[in-house]
Amino acid sequence: MTTISLRDEAAGLLQDLIRLDTVNPPGNETLVAEHLRSYLEANGVACELYAKVPERANLVARIPGVGDGPRMLLLSHTDTVLADPGEWQLDPWSGELRDGQVWGRGALDMKGQVAASAVAIASLAREGFEAPGDLIFAACADEEVGAGFGLQWLVEEHPDAVRAEYCINEGGGDRLVLGGRAFYVCSTAEKMSAPFRITVHGRSGHASRPGMADNALVKAAPLVERLGAFQDEPEVGPEVAAFLQAVCGEIPQPMEAVSAARAVHPLAGDIVEPLLGTTLSPTEIEASKKRNVIPNRCQITVDCRILPGHTQNEVEAKVAGLLDGATYDFEWVEGQGGTRSPVDSPLWDVVESFVAEVEPEAETVPLLLSGFTDSHWVREAFGTVAYGFFPMRAMEPEVAARLIHSADERIELDDLELGVRFLRHAAGALSSLP
Ligand SMILES: [Zn+2]
């Protein structure tokens, strides 16, 4: 038997995973779950498939602990967003290896981390890895849509499969150079996604006689403007404070936070800007379906992101103040996420010690995500300390940000290999975690 490097092993597995089309919808994540199961079982890792419907399985693999120590969950999702082959230089499902990069939909988000996690646990199993607590790898369905087939369902129906004290997921790991210094960001918190709808009522009529009707679309226009101009009272939460302290050397007043960060590097300002308060983005509008009918109803959907620690009720009151004097119906569409794990935790030391090992001059900084990931399910259900961290330094963060959910998505093999190293490091720390 020939032995191949972990780098090649991860690359080969990632190529396989990309070639299995798991665009969600419809998902078909069982294709990936089955492939991972055969790979992991061949390496001596016990696996279980959990599926709400047969074609959308979640895979959970485990190296059981030999004591009653804390458990660590390597979390990932196996579905991807769609890809339009016409926009791509290569077939999005080719998994082609070219110039040290694996190409294809999901390479960054997040089949790369799926493959790296699988190779980490498989290689550790081959080496006879033992820890006091369980090392768990979960490759879940349905993160991109969140229709209840993935981690949400697992946490509700099979909580023992994924219960863990610590979790490493997607959502961080970028290496940023700001003001001449290198920082690796580790996401420890996420804003809540809480879209709402505003409905304005009027009276319909023939469009040729506007005076006879009460046009709901026209009445909605000033509301859209006010919503779009909303600026929340800025505040600096614990994650942003730690980020600013590291990057600027001080924690500026909330009003000065963006300009202080921007003075170090424009990117730092862009990062901080949406993290100081609730943001509102009106994104959808629905009124008349016919050109010649004046609408009696106009519905505006607003994408709203709320800081952790704040509630939908508080935001609803702010919207009421903003739209004071107008008559409308208000309705929440949903409220997901908005959770945080402490920055000061034993898992933080694990991430920091890895960065210190691979790049001693670099600093690890926490980040609040403006979007959200599956991490909130385990934070809410089990109080898990969950961080987003998958280190990337070969690919520039601006390049990666442009490729995620977009054409020509690809990952550097150097980053894939670094990811395997980090996940093995994190698993190795299980023996010393409290
Ligand atoms: Zn993702």
Side-chain angles (χ1 to χ4, degrees), residues 196-416:
F196 59 83
R197 275 193 207 105
I198 297 279
T199 307
V200 178
H201 299 277
R203 196 175 59 254
S204 59
H206 198 283
S208 65
R209 301 167 71 195
M212 305 289 289
D214 182 22
N215 191 328
L217 175 60
V218 173
K219 286 166 79 178
L223 276 59
V224 174
E225 278 190 11
R226 280 193 243 169
L227 290 163
F230 173 73
Q231 292 278 354
D232 202 2
E233 181 81 31
E235 67 175 76
V236 172
E239 301 82 14
V240 176
F243 179 85
L244 289 167
Q245 178 68 57
V247 172
C248 305
E250 54 161 359
I251 304 170
Q253 289 303 307
M255 291 298 286
E256 271 83 57
V258 174
S259 53
R262 193 151 279 148
V264 176
H265 194 287
L267 177 63
D270 292 347
I271 289 170
V272 167
E273 188 167 37
L275 306 180
L276 301 174
T278 293
T279 58
L280 304 182
S281 295
T283 49
E284 296 178 303
I285 190 160
E286 202 185 304
S288 180
K289 298 266 191 262
K290 271 199 149 324
R291 190 259 304 151
N292 60 358
V293 176
I294 288 174
N296 66 348
R297 189 173 156 278
C298 178
Q299 197 166 66
I300 306 149
T301 305
V302 180
D303 182 287
C304 167
R305 309 286 172 144
I306 304 174
L307 284 184
H310 289 273
T311 65
Q312 287 171 285
N313 281 342
E314 290 170 47
V315 173
E316 197 171 332
K318 282 185 183 177
V319 172
L322 187 68
L323 303 183
D324 191 29
T327 308
Y328 59 89
D329 297 333
F330 180 98
E331 176 198 2
W332 290 106
V333 179
E334 63 170 21
Q336 273 217 64
T339 59
R340 60 162 48 104
S341 291
V343 172
D344 180 16
S345 87
L347 190 59
W348 184 263
D349 302 336
V350 173
V351 176
E352 204 169 45
S353 62
F354 178 77
V355 171
E357 186 184 302
V358 296
E359 194 172 340
E361 14 0 298
E363 201 173 332
T364 313
V365 286
L367 184 72
L368 166 64
L369 285 186
S370 56
F372 73 102
T373 69
D374 268 346
S375 290
H376 73 96
W377 298 117
V378 287
R379 287 194 189 121
E380 285 159 6
F382 314 126
T384 306
V385 175
Y387 290 165
F389 194 77
F390 189 73
M392 293 229 301
R393 60 178 175 183
M395 183 176 281
E396 295 285 326
E398 293 90 342
V399 176
R402 204 167 58 234
L403 296 177
I404 287 176
H405 289 203
S406 187
D408 296 336
E409 185 179 352
R410 55 195 186 268
I411 190 170
E412 297 274 357
L413 284 187
D414 288 347
D415 287 335
L416 192 61

Side-chain angles (χ1 to χ4, degrees), residues 106-274:
L108 292 167
D109 184 15
M110 64 172 292
K111 285 177 173 172
Q113 190 169 347
V114 172
S117 303
V119 168
I121 194 169
S123 60
L124 289 168
R126 291 196 298 259
E127 295 160 14
F129 176 83
E130 268 187 5
D134 294 1
L135 176 63
I136 310 160
F137 164 51
C140 297
D142 193 34
E143 190 274 343
E144 298 290 357
V145 174
F149 298 97
L151 186 61
Q152 175 184 14
W153 176 80
L154 265 182
V155 158
E156 282 163 10
E157 299 297 323
H158 302 279
D160 291 340
V162 284
R163 183 178 281 115
E165 284 70 25
Y166 301 105
C167 169
I168 298 289
N169 187 22
E170 66 177 334
D174 286 344
R175 177 183 184 274
L176 310 175
V177 179
L178 305 170
R181 291 183 298 144
F183 300 90
Y184 284 81
V185 295
C186 173
S187 71
T188 61
E190 304 175 349
K191 290 179 89 173
M192 180 192 282
S193 169
F196 59 83
R197 275 193 207 105
I198 297 279
T199 307
V200 178
H201 299 277
R203 196 175 59 254
S204 59
H206 198 283
S208 65
R209 301 167 71 195
M212 305 289 289
D214 182 22
N215 191 328
L217 175 60
V218 173
K219 286 166 79 178
L223 276 59
V224 174
E225 278 190 11
R226 280 193 243 169
L227 290 163
F230 173 73
Q231 292 278 354
D232 202 2
E233 181 81 31
E235 67 175 76
V236 172
E239 301 82 14
V240 176
F243 179 85
L244 289 167
Q245 178 68 57
V247 172
C248 305
E250 54 161 359
I251 304 170
Q253 289 303 307
M255 291 298 286
E256 271 83 57
V258 174
S259 53
R262 193 151 279 148
V264 176
H265 194 287
L267 177 63
D270 292 347
I271 289 170
V272 167
E273 188 167 37

